[in-house]
Amino acid sequence: MLDFELTEEQQALVSTARQFTKDRIIPIAAECDQHSKFPVDVFKQAWELGLVTPGIEEKYGGAGMGEIDNVLITEELAYGCTGIQTSITANTLAATPIMIAGNEDQKKKYLGMLAREPVFAAYAITEPGAGSDAAGIQCRARKVGDDWVLNGQKCFITNASIASWYVVFATTNPEGRHKNIMAFIVDRESPGLSIGKKEDKMGQRASDTATVILEDVKVPAANVLAGEGEGFKVAMQTFDRTRPDIGAGACGIMRRALEESIRYALERKTFGTAIANHQAVQFMIAEMAIKYEATRLMVHKAAWMIDKGSRNSIVASYSKAFGADAAMQVATDAVQVFGGNGFMKEYPVEKLMRDAKVLQIYEGTSQVQRMVIAKNLFAMFK
Ligand SMILES: Cc1cc2nc3c(=O)[nH]c(=O)nc-3n(C[C@H](O)[C@H](O)[C@H](O)COP(=O)(O)OP(=O)(O)OC[C@H]3O[C@@H](n4cnc5c(N)ncnc54)[C@H](O)[C@@H]3O)c2cc1C
């Protein structure tokens, strides 16, 4: 049987996350956006409520929730502010490669740390010269005795300045592309690791985004997460699991844009009547609702496939590509519904439009998602 009903536990989870967003995120979102400030105390409260890295297994101290639970939480947090939500969910982005490829000791230590304390972690693959072309990374890994030494730079890394550890992708030979890529867990305190400039962003300004610089950083053999050739696979398998979460963030933005637009359209009058009575406005709002609903279904399907253990690359990319593009359109339309007020910072919708843009860029651009989709489609027919 196909069942769209949430379980009682899931309904309770949504209600906790919704209340938290209402009480703790919405009141400070505009200020965090204006000052480009991440509210660490809010993160700690979210952590105490079990809203951070909910998928860590119980044997490592986590709640052992499924991916559906995870995307439900993300949508609620994103309704309040996708900047704050992105920094919270970046911990899951960093934890996922360890869930996929970590050995017992690594899982106990690093997943255990996230479950035990409200600390941050980061996932670092992007470099100044390699974003979409992730196999083109140049950060070098050199074996010295039993250890590895890393040299390079990782840019645009969420939580870079505040992370206690990083999953870093590096190569033993850039010419070998994906065949030589490895993955390492690198502690923040490692000598040679420093943080470069913090980015001044267009949107999602509450999240911390900065460069990680690695200069002769020694990584013990125990912190090798994936060997030569395996690192790239782990990076891609991670995205299969985390892209639906970007779709969930898109759902949060769209639901917020929709609700703000409906309320405003019922109040604002032009030509002697509420703008909600003009068909052009009604149609914009109907389109917003369709896009929200369609994205949510795709996100939940992609998450359900993860929980079932099925391969979900194509559906993960559907949910990310469709959701990100839809959120950008819906947030832009919300500004349109608000007219001149929509363009002003006094109203909440211009922030949604700025925040939505990066959904089409990070964790694979909208173009890269279409490349993944096309590749998978053609593979099915070969
Ligand atoms: C706020 C923010 C947070 C981020 N957080 C992280 C993080 O935590 N960890 C991390 O590792 N990275 C992170 N990133 C990096 C992000 O994943 C990359 O910016 C993204 O993958 C795009 O890479 P790029 O910026 O190098 O763009 P490019 O790869 O230079 O792409 C430029 C344009 O060309 C298009 N393009 C490129 N190649 C093709 C092609 N073959 N066919 C068609 N079009 C193509 C792209 O779609 C894009 O429109 C973050 C980025 C931002 C903005």
Side-chain angles (χ1 to χ4, degrees), residues 114-361:
L114 295 181
R116 223 174 29 247
E117 309 163 52
V119 294
F120 294 91
Y123 174 99
I125 191 162
T126 306
E127 298 180 1
S132 303
D133 184 12
I137 58 171
Q138 302 288 315
C139 179
R140 287 300 275 263
R142 200 162 37 91
K143 194 152 199 261
V144 178
D146 285 340
D147 300 325
W148 289 82
V149 173
L150 305 186
N151 277 288
Q153 270 196 30
K154 297 289 172 183
C155 67
F156 304 157
I157 306 306
T158 303
N159 290 350
S161 326
I162 46 180
S164 296
W165 52 266
Y166 308 81
V167 169
V168 174
F169 295 86
T171 176
T172 53
N173 172 16
E175 282 170 22
R177 291 181 56 81
H178 57 275
K179 289 196 204 79
N180 290 80
I181 292 178
M182 298 179 65
F184 301 87
I185 308 168
V186 184
D187 292 320
R188 171 73 179 90
E189 298 312 324
S190 309
L193 188 151
S194 60
I195 304 304
K197 83 175 157 89
K198 186 179 164 201
E199 302 294 346
D200 184 8
K201 305 194 297 292
M202 165 186 174
Q204 300 207 353
R205 290 172 54 78
S207 77
D208 174 84
T209 315
T211 298
V212 179
I213 302 160
L214 302 135
E215 288 169 321
D216 287 330
V217 174
K218 202 197 263 187
V219 182
N223 280 26
V224 172
L225 181 60
E228 271 181 308
E230 293 306 306
F232 190 75
K233 283 187 212 152
V234 171
M236 296 305 121
Q237 286 165 358
T238 298
F239 289 141
D240 285 351
R241 290 179 63 162
T242 58
R243 281 174 179 158
D245 216 27
I246 309 286
C251 286
I253 287 192
M254 285 190 273
R255 180 154 56 85
R256 181 73 183 275
L258 178 63
E259 291 180 7
E260 297 287 353
S261 298
I262 292 171
R263 275 195 284 270
Y264 188 84
L266 289 169
E267 266 178 26
R268 175 74 178 171
K269 289 196 171 62
T270 65
F271 298 91
T273 186
I275 60 169
N277 294 321
H278 301 312
Q279 197 181 51
V281 173
Q282 291 170 358
F283 280 14
M284 263 196 289
I285 287 176
E287 281 295 332
M288 289 181 188
I290 293 168
K291 289 191 168 81
Y292 165 67
E293 192 66 23
T295 304
R296 201 161 193 264
L297 288 171
M298 281 187 214
V299 167
H300 288 192
K301 182 175 176 188
W304 169 80
M305 289 175 84
I306 294 169
D307 287 340
K308 260 184 25 141
S310 315
R311 186 147 186 261
N312 74 328
S313 308
I314 194 164
V315 184
S317 284
Y318 290 157
S319 69
K320 205 269 182 190
F322 186 87
D325 294 351
M328 192 65 236
Q329 184 64 56
V330 166
T332 307
D333 287 349
V335 172
Q336 196 65 22
V337 169
F338 274 66
N341 284 336
F343 202 65
M344 304 301 159
K345 286 196 187 285
E346 210 182 318
Y347 290 83
V349 287
E350 63 80 35
K351 176 178 179 296
L352 298 179
M353 187 174 162
R354 288 187 286 108
D355 287 351
K357 184 62 207 170
V358 77
L359 302 178
Q360 294 178 304
I361 297 170

